[in-house]
Amino acid sequence: VSALVSIGEFSRLAHLSVKALRHYHDVGVFSPVEVDIHNGYRLYGVEQLDDAHVLRRLRELDMPLEEVKLVLDSGGGCRRDRAIASHLQRMELELERTRDIVASLRDLLDAPTRPLDVTHRTLKPGEAVAHRATVANTNIEQWSIEAFADLSAVVASAGFVRAGPTGSQFSNEYFEQGIGDVAAFVALEGRVGPEAMGAEVLRLSGGAHATTIHCGTYEDLDLTYGALGSHVAEKQIGAPGPITEFYVAGPDEVETEADLRTEVCWPIIA
Amino acid sequence: VSALVSIGEFSRLAHLSVKALRHYHDVGVFSPVEVDIHNGYRLYGVEQLDDAHVLRRLRELDMPLEEVKLVLDSGGGCRRDRAIASHLQRMELELERTRDIVASLRDLLDAPTRPLDVTHRTLKPGEAVAHRATVANTNIEQWSIEAFADLSAVVASAGFVRAGPTGSQFSNEYFEQGIGDVAAFVALEGRVGPEAMGAEVLRLSGGAHATTIHCGTYEDLDLTYGALGSHVAEKQIGAPGPITEFYVAGPDEVETEADLRTEVCWPIIA
DNA sequence: TTGCTCCTCACGTCACGTGAGGTGGC
DNA sequence: TTGCTCCTCACGTCACGTGAGGTGGC
């Protein structure tokens, strides 16, 4: 049928290294059509080049080999197209994030420190409808958007009255490990009734907090955390408890990222 | 002076994991201001947060720790700004490349195979002025641009007469390992005189080749290599010797990447 | 016979993450 | 005393790269 070539020849045709080809064979992502029984020589068919070219591009885009395997195994059908399309979409998001980080880094170098207005205030205790999950910081935005969309629907359909902007509570684990328990909530006037189907009830314990307003993209929240936490550490007024964010002006309400306003609340001793 | 905090506290302030902070300490990229002699506890100063924020952003941009170390060690001066600027520039190139690969992948899926016009022709032997080096495919473009710029200057100042477009010869190693010997050359009429200061003399051995014209970005050259190599493999006419590319229409001569024309020559038996 | 290509281990790299097992202060 | 935080090994992960040591065909 079609020509068989050695691994060295195939590596020149596909622009993939011999070591890489052997590795792909070992882990079952991309195998030669034939292996010589006498000497173990791998023999590739030239018709495998189409797959090899796709494989090379996916790896250049840093797609994990496990996913590459799925794509190559899924045949030429729409499953394959969907797998690639979803990865390409992730790449676009990655590109945006990279641009944001670059911009943020430029800012950091231009204006190394900006002072921060820290206020001490006491959060009101109360009840809230909430969604709670273990979330990684890589997809906290996506998760929050969905959580708040659902909570809004619940609040509207149950006829609850909001008591302030939407907010989130974070476990320490979330910041220390980059993944941990997060609760997205909407504080309510009075108590949460049984109409809150689907959503959990979150009891907000309130108490003394050092707070500040973060302006702009969430990518820069670490700066505000640093400044706020420094303030608390220097005055030695830290107290246990979760950190709370209030989305005073969230993604829904602003036109540009620069207009975002987020209140960060750090628990302190009374 | 300023407040000292534990590693856990610092990780929450800087949004870096405890494991990462310990790793940065181990490899000497970012160390606590103090280590408790009794129990080995790491103590960080809140004034270290500025560096930590820069560190976090550089890592998010995948800067290797060795380079991060250089940036952080270089103080606040212009050395540091230059180190970051050069990395940001590399990021921009990366972004462009990613976009190109995505586009190329889309093409690959839309138009899976396009037939190729393969011609057999005999390259003329002769002499050329050349630059030769061990180059990796990650910076072949940059290297080639510089090499050809210099060769052009040599040809002009020595009054040589060109015999055809610029070209490159690649060792097998270059394709198999992604890094290897490459020679960028300009073929000349007659022999190379002693005026070729700086540039080497390359003897082109000529001979029978299967050739084809590759249209468009160099990112897609692997497709042409695959098709050309398949042709040679199927007819079993392969011969030893380096692959030669001629830049019939190179980056200098075209307005858009789509207009690039590259002749790829694969050695075959006469 | 010499070179070249191919083979299989086994180990290294990079930037951490994952437990195991243990200590120290409130 | 219980929990919580911190510590140090030692090993795992991912996608290969790097030799070492050996075989097979022209």
Side-chain angles (χ1 to χ4, degrees), chain A residues 136-147:
Chain A
N137 53 12
T138 49
N139 47 18
I140 183 75
E141 275 205 57
Q142 190 58 35
W143 181 82
S144 298
I145 288 171
E146 289 166 19

Side-chain angles (χ1 to χ4, degrees), chain A residues 1-5 8-9 11-19 46-47 49-50 52-54 56-58 60-61 80-81 84-85 88-89 91-92 94-95 97-99 101-102 104-106 108-109 112-113 137 172 175-178 218-230 232-234 243 266, chain B residues 2-5 8-9 11-19 46-47 49-50 52-54 56-58 60-61 80-81 84-85 88-89 91-92 94-95 97-99 101-102 104-106 108-109 112-113 137 172 175-178 218-230 232-235 243 266:
Chain A
V1 280
S2 76
L4 290 179
V5 297
E9 188 72 12
S11 92
R12 285 189 288 275
L13 298 180
H15 289 192
L16 289 167
S17 81
V18 170
K19 293 285 182 179
V46 292
E47 78 283 356
L49 279 170
D50 290 341
H53 290 138
V54 172
R56 192 171 92 105
R57 278 163 183 70
L58 294 178
E60 285 184 321
L61 296 174
R80 173 186 182 141
D81 286 4
I84 294 177
L88 290 187
Q89 201 194 330
M91 288 303 306
E92 312 246 323
E94 263 296 296
L95 287 184
R97 205 182 68 103
T98 301
R99 254 191 300 274
I101 297 172
V102 166
S104 159
L105 189 53
R106 286 229 164 87
L108 215 61
L109 298 169
T113 40
N137 53 12
N172 279 347
F175 296 114
E176 287 171 24
Q177 318 281 342
Y218 299 129
E219 210 72 62
D220 281 341
L221 263 174
D222 59 338
L223 302 178
T224 296
Y225 273 76
L228 188 59
S230 297
V232 171
E234 276 164 7
I243 284 168
W266 196 288
Chain B
S2 76
L4 290 179
V5 297
E9 188 73 13
S11 91
R12 287 188 287 276
L13 297 181
H15 289 191
L16 291 166
S17 82
V18 170
K19 293 286 183 180
V46 293
E47 79 283 356
L49 280 170
D50 290 340
H53 290 138
V54 173
R56 191 171 93 104
R57 278 163 183 69
L58 295 178
E60 284 184 322
L61 296 175
R80 172 185 183 145
D81 285 4
I84 294 177
L88 290 188
Q89 201 195 329
M91 288 303 307
E92 311 244 323
E94 263 295 295
L95 288 185
R97 205 182 68 103
T98 301
R99 253 191 301 272
I101 297 172
V102 166
S104 160
L105 189 54
R106 287 229 163 88
L108 216 60
L109 298 169
T113 40
N137 53 12
N172 280 347
F175 295 115
E176 287 171 25
Q177 319 280 342
Y218 299 129
E219 210 72 62
D220 282 341
L221 263 173
D222 59 338
L223 302 179
T224 296
Y225 272 75
L228 188 58
S230 298
V232 171
E234 275 164 7
K235 310 221 162 179
I243 285 168
W266 197 287

Side-chain angles (χ1 to χ4, degrees), chain B residues 1 3-4 6-7 10 60-62 74 83 87 93 96 140 159 181-182 186 193 201 224 252 261 270:
Chain B
V1 281
L4 290 179
S6 70
I7 194 169
F10 194 79
E60 284 184 322
L61 296 175
D62 288 320
S74 68
H87 191 257
L93 293 176
E96 242 183 86
I140 183 76
D181 276 4
V182 179
V186 178
V201 178
T224 296
D252 289 350
R261 294 292 179 273

